[in-house]
């Protein structure tokens, strides 16, 4: 433990500089105009893995962005940990809300501000540096494999094929991912579940051209109005989702499970103050922790139509569109929910408009076991590094890869995240606390140590 | 009549060239980036009025864009006609839907395609050319005054003050405006009423920043969802507007008036085919002609919020906004309706969001008399030029100036429009039929002739 702390102390500045260099790449996978930057980011990751001591490092091409692979096999008889992360990031807009440029990382009150600082560049890079540390101190206790992809923020569309085609190369005993949050440094926690995702785009078309709202208004259906009516109808007055069959497969938790979940530190007043809202929202009959952890949702991620420029334009628009995504919980299935949404949304469109529903991507919900060797190793590692036993929580986000791994490689995942909910993931001014970055680098070698010991 | 036709024939090409030059100015009053172009347009109009023989031509400054004035007083004892028009145009977007650049006019199958071709550059310029014609042929029978403004598309916000300050200069016996449509060259018509307008912008704010839809989704109100719910609630299942008091002042027509209105040529099948819609929409209990003529409406002119770029972004947006306008009918009052909307919209917002309602501009509905000398003069002029008596119709659009004139100058207006509903006003590919342009120039001198005769 002491030599770990010492090594981190001696290399602190370099560990930061390298992360900053990584954060300067605008690797936005959703926007084609960043294609070259995303590709450069993959090369940088490969280079750093090599430098840290990884072997067989390869930037593996896919139909989309490449997957960076690297490994260090010390002894075939030892357990193998597969580290997953992603080097792509969310789009940075709305740019005007950033207090510093998203791709020019800066440190303010001990926090690193940049798009990707936490999600997931800062978090996966902790593993690269922890690996370097174990190699340098010659304390790597097990085999380790890295798979860092570039399409997580757009649904990991090509990972499935890659995993299926590389089952042997990826063969491991556990997947270790740092792409989630903990409650705080004072209340460390481990997420034991993630929500799935079904993401779609809808387009409503009324008249075949934009019309003068005076000449035609009143006699022709306004697609923006109709879209609003259709979206409004997707929740009832209790904020239940009205899509027929939507809740059919939702696993309900026992009272004990719910009590345990709600035992996690949570202060509604602070929560509301942080968000600047007077009142929370949510499905009747559940707590905020449950709303974001064990219940499915339907969110409008974006909506647009008609004249959105400055001033006034009296137009009756031809089209209106929205991006809508649903977070799924065990045992909902992404494809089934996507179909249910599509059928329902098409069925509620009045004849006065045309409706087009285009699925974007999805991911399956997962629950990770809390009785596995890997989970116990993570508990011990965090307890030693933080001086506190971690609390199990349910995460609201989605990491499609987790269920993919279970399905294709038959191995479970440990979600050892060091971010915070307040890190503004997917928002302007994303940040990652420097303390969490280094605490992560300190904790990861301990995970490998205990996982190897407990595996004996 | 013969010498009118002859003069037009001899100057056809020049009349087109000058209009094209006018159309090349991108005089978009709604968008500040066109400021210089709008100002240049005013100068061009002044120059052309002078060239046609107008005196005391002046580009009159206002708080906003200038008003171009010019006059020709031949004899104080003769009647005076005040010609009103506007040289500003609607924004051209969505640009990608134009088949030719909006500010590079072209002629295709005898139609002039350009933003402003009909609304209102093409139509007010007919009066400038008809004036030139009467001056050249020495047949101007009455006094004439021109007032061409540059803010009609943004609510004529500074016209009120100008008119109040220039009552003497503007003193006239009738206002003549060509900024409306007729049914067709085969079925000429005169609009005898216009709808008023109340235009607002609404902004819904949920959390104080964009959020990760996974981490927070389900517990925090999504402003886009709430905005949709609020907008959806503004119409009931019969497409009546639900704002309390909204219909209180609506003048209801007698069965005779409604029958007369519905007697106008109208073919639902052609109407739907032209718009590419399978079914029309509208308030229960009224026909399409009534929906667009004598009933008030509420339209979403634009809506936006969250991520509207390419691909997918799983964000729970902080804000969502919409531009909403209502068309008003006699005897609704723009300011009163704006207040009713504001109060109602604020009252239906849940505590989980903040709502901001910003009025843009408005205009009062009007009905023009059909028993006036001016209307009879317009009827005779059209009958002579078209060989058919015009049908009285109700226009769905709004020209705030009309009620302003009645109020401030105590004079009525004649809406002698030569456009067509199919001219794509406020839409991509706005056009004006060349035949209508010249037919207008031919008809206008006849109006002045008969108005002067009937005034004796």
């Amino acid at each position: 433990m002491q030599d770990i702390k010492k090594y981190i102390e001696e290399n602190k500045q370099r560990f930061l500089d390298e992360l900053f260099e990584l954060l300067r790449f605008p690797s936005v996978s959703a926007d084609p105009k960043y294609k070259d930057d995303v590709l450069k980011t993959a090369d940088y990751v490969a280079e750093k893995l090599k430098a840290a001591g990884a072997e067989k490092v390869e930037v593996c091409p896919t139909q989309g962005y490449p997957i960076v692979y690297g490994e260090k096999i010390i002894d075939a008889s030892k357990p193998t940990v597969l580290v997953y992360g992603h080097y792509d990031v969310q789009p940075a807009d709305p740019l005007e809300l950033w207090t510093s440029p998203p791709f020019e990382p800066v440190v303010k009150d001990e926090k690193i501000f940049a798009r990707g600082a936490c999600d997931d560049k800062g978090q996966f890079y902790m593993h690269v540096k922890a690996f370097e540390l174990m190699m340098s101190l010659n304390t790597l206790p097990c085999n380790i494999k890295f798979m860092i992809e570039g399409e997580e923020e757009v649904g990991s569309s090509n990972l499935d094929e890659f995993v299926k085609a590389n089952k042997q190369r990826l063969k491991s005993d556990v997947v270790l991912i740092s792409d989630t949050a903990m409650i705080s440094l004072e209340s460390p926690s481990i997420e034991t579940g993630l929500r799935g995702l079904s993401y779609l785009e809808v387009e409503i078309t009324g008249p075949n051209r934009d019309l003068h709202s005076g000449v035609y208004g009143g006699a022709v259906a306004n697609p923006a109005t109709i879209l609003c009516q259709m979206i409004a109808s997707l929740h009832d007055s209790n904020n239940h989702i009205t899509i027929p069959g939507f809740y059919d497969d939702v696993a309900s938790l026992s009272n004990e499970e719910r009590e345990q979940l709600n035992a996690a530190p949570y202060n509604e007043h602070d929560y509301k103050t942080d968000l600047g809202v007077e009142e929370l929202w949510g499905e009747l009959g559940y707590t905020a922790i449950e709303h974001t952890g064990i219940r499915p949702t339907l969110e409008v991620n974006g909506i647009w139509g008609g004249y959105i420029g400055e001033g006034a334009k009296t137009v009756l628009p031809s089209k209106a569109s929205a991006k809508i995504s649903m977070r799924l919980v065990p045992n909902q299935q992404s494809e089934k929910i996507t179909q249910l949404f599509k059928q329902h949304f098409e069925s509620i469109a009045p004849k006065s408009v045309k409706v087009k529903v285009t699925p974007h991507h999805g991911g399956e919900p997962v629950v990770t076991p809390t009785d596995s060797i890997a989970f116990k190793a993570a508990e011990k590692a965090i307890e030693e590094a933080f001086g506190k036993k971690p609390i199990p929580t349910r995460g609201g986000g989605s990491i499609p890869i987790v269920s993919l791994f279970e399905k294709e490689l038959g191995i479970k995942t440990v979600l050892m995240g060091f971010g915070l909910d307040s890190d503004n993931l997917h928002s302007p001014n994303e940040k990652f606390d420097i303390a969490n970055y280094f605490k992560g680098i300190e904790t990861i070698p301990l995970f490998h140590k205990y996982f190897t010991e407990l595996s004996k």
Side-chain angles (χ1 to χ4, degrees), chain A:
Chain A
M1 184 65 175
Q2 281 323 307
D3 47 359
I4 295 178
K5 283 189 154 59
K6 184 158 167 296
Y7 188 88
I8 294 173
E9 201 47 49
E10 288 164 357
N11 296 277
K12 235 184 166 97
Q13 193 52 51
R14 181 172 56 84
F15 283 7
L16 278 178
D17 295 343
E18 289 176 15
L19 174 57
F20 274 41
E21 207 173 332
L22 177 60
L23 291 171
R24 283 190 195 96
F25 294 99
S27 52
V28 179
S29 51
D31 189 339
K33 83 166 181 277
Y34 293 106
K35 188 161 192 281
D36 292 352
D37 302 294
V38 181
L39 295 172
K40 282 193 198 116
T41 315
D43 295 335
Y44 180 81
V45 173
E47 178 196 312
K48 288 301 173 189
L49 277 174
K50 271 197 211 102
E55 294 161 359
K56 301 190 180 165
V57 174
E58 183 185 345
V59 176
C60 314
T62 73
Q63 299 278 2
Y65 287 119
I67 291 162
V68 182
Y69 178 84
E71 63 177 42
K72 179 67 186 180
I73 307 300
I74 57 167
D75 176 347
S77 69
K78 301 254 185 215
T80 304
V81 175
L82 175 60
V83 174
Y84 164 86
H86 63 93
Y87 62 83
D88 64 321
V89 298
Q90 279 276 315
D93 42 302
L95 277 170
E96 63 277 14
L97 297 183
W98 284 78
T99 56
S100 60
F103 299 107
E104 294 171 26
V106 293
V107 171
K108 275 174 283 179
D109 23 330
E110 295 306 300
K111 298 167 180 60
I112 303 160
F113 286 86
R115 167 59 81 227
C118 175
D119 179 13
D120 179 48
K121 285 172 172 174
Q123 290 222 65
F124 90 73
Y125 204 67
M126 296 183 306
H127 289 271
V128 181
K129 293 298 98 180
F131 171 62
E132 173 203 311
L133 178 151
M134 293 185 281
M135 291 297 288
S136 311
L137 301 179
N138 199 12
T139 56
L140 180 66
C142 58
N143 305 313
I144 188 163
K145 297 177 176 178
F146 288 91
M147 178 171 69
I148 314 299
E149 73 154 314
E151 299 185 300
E152 199 272 344
E153 299 295 3
V154 287
S156 305
S157 0
N158 297 291
L159 200 60
D160 197 318
E161 198 182 328
F162 179 81
V163 170
K164 284 179 181 149
N166 291 274
K167 289 188 174 176
Q168 199 45 45
R169 169 149 70 159
L170 298 173
K171 195 170 179 310
S172 311
D173 300 288
V174 68
V175 185
L176 181 60
I177 304 178
S178 297
D179 193 18
T180 52
M182 51 172 42
I183 296 167
S184 70
L185 287 181
E186 298 66 41
S187 308
S189 57
I190 302 179
E191 292 192 358
T192 60
L194 286 169
R195 291 196 283 191
L197 184 71
S198 164
Y199 199 115
L200 310 95
E201 191 157 321
V202 301
E203 180 187 74
I204 303 295
T205 304
N208 53 18
R209 61 186 186 272
D210 284 4
L211 301 175
H212 185 299
S213 69
V215 176
Y216 292 93
V220 181
N222 182 321
T225 307
I226 301 290
L227 176 61
C228 287
Q229 291 170 347
M230 290 170 73
I231 288 174
S233 77
L234 297 176
H235 288 94
D236 67 15
S237 56
N238 294 328
N239 297 329
H240 291 296
I241 293 156
T242 58
I243 299 167
F246 184 81
Y247 291 101
D248 286 0
D249 303 328
V250 171
S252 55
L253 275 66
S254 69
N255 292 339
E256 293 66 26
E257 289 174 297
R258 289 180 66 178
E259 274 165 27
Q260 193 192 16
L261 203 65
N262 286 299
Y266 166 76
N267 178 314
E268 177 163 322
H269 176 269
D270 298 350
Y271 191 76
K272 290 194 294 187
T273 310
D274 170 51
L275 299 173
V277 296
E278 229 183 277
E279 218 173 55
L280 292 180
W281 183 91
E283 190 184 0
L284 189 71
Y286 296 90
T287 66
I289 288 178
E290 292 171 328
H291 287 143
T292 55
I294 60 166
R295 297 298 296 173
T297 66
L298 185 149
E299 298 288 347
V300 177
N301 303 110
I303 186 166
W304 67 100
Y307 182 68
I308 64 181
E310 263 206 69
K313 186 169 191 275
T314 50
V315 64
L316 193 165
S318 169
K319 289 178 187 296
S321 305
K323 293 175 194 276
I324 296 175
S325 66
M326 292 160 284
R327 297 282 172 175
L328 312 179
V329 300
N331 303 311
Q332 290 178 298
Q333 295 153 29
S334 179
E335 284 214 352
K336 181 177 172 189
I337 293 296
T338 299
Q339 280 316 309
L340 286 177
F341 178 95
K342 196 169 186 296
Q343 283 159 22
H344 176 66
F345 205 72
E346 286 166 351
S347 74
I348 59 175
K351 275 182 76 180
S352 52
V353 300
K354 294 177 198 64
V355 58
K356 197 171 102 200
V357 179
T358 312
H360 262 304
H361 66 269
E364 303 304 334
V366 286
V367 178
T368 61
T370 53
D371 54 2
S372 68
I373 286 172
F375 189 82
K376 290 191 167 60
E379 273 187 324
K380 278 175 75 78
I382 288 173
E383 192 169 2
E384 181 170 342
F386 289 76
K388 261 197 193 153
K389 208 169 191 299
I391 304 158
T393 62
R394 284 293 195 96
S398 310
I399 309 179
I401 174 84
V402 176
S403 57
L404 176 64
F405 269 105
E406 259 182 71
K407 187 156 146 286
E408 297 302 329
L409 304 178
I411 50 175
K412 296 287 190 180
T413 294
V414 169
L415 300 166
M416 197 165 68
F418 296 91
L420 301 174
D421 280 350
S422 57
D423 283 339
N424 298 333
L425 308 188
H426 298 204
S427 310
N429 306 310
E430 177 177 351
K431 59 93 174 166
F432 192 30
D433 293 36
I434 292 180
N436 293 53
Y437 179 56
F438 288 114
K439 207 68 180 164
I441 299 174
E442 180 184 326
T443 308
I444 291 162
L446 297 170
F447 170 84
H448 290 281
K449 175 174 164 237
Y450 291 121
F451 180 64
T452 310
E453 285 178 12
L454 293 168
S455 299
K456 275 175 191 148

